Amino acid sequence: VAVFDADTGARVGGAGGLPPVLAVAFLPDGRLVGGGLDRTLRVWEPASGYARTAAAARLRGEVWAVAVAPDGKRVWAGDESGTVTCRAA
């Protein structure tokens, strides 16, 4: 996953070494949350690339969609099984 400055197009961060990611969203504090083929939600710092697996974030299927509450405390993930799961960010 790579993060680019929208104005300049310069790469400003990202995370490597992750399984393919299909969905991402920004948390209000600038971190990213995303998931993909390995059915796991991860939260990472774009500048450092440090990623951590969100607590109890293993889902039933590949993660196809991610949404974040405006306060950044909850994350919803939709997976290929049709299930939408809510987790603490």
Side-chain angles (χ1 to χ4, degrees):
V1 174
V3 179
F4 296 89
D5 182 295
D7 293 325
T8 67
R11 184 177 172 151
V12 295
L18 296 174
V21 175
L22 303 176
V24 296
F26 277 98
L27 292 161
D29 63 7
R31 294 177 300 156
L32 289 169
V33 61
L37 297 182
D38 68 348
R39 306 181 324 181
T40 302
L41 283 177
R42 288 185 174 80
V43 176
W44 66 90
E45 305 283 341
S48 69
Y50 173 75
R52 70 171 175 83
T53 301
R58 187 92 170 138
L59 304 175
R60 292 181 182 183
E62 296 174 1
V63 179
W64 287 0
V66 177
V68 177
D71 64 6
K73 293 182 181 179
R74 292 174 311 283
V75 174
W76 288 267
D79 67 37
E80 69 178 317
S81 75
T83 301
V84 175
T85 304
C86 181
R87 302 282 190 225

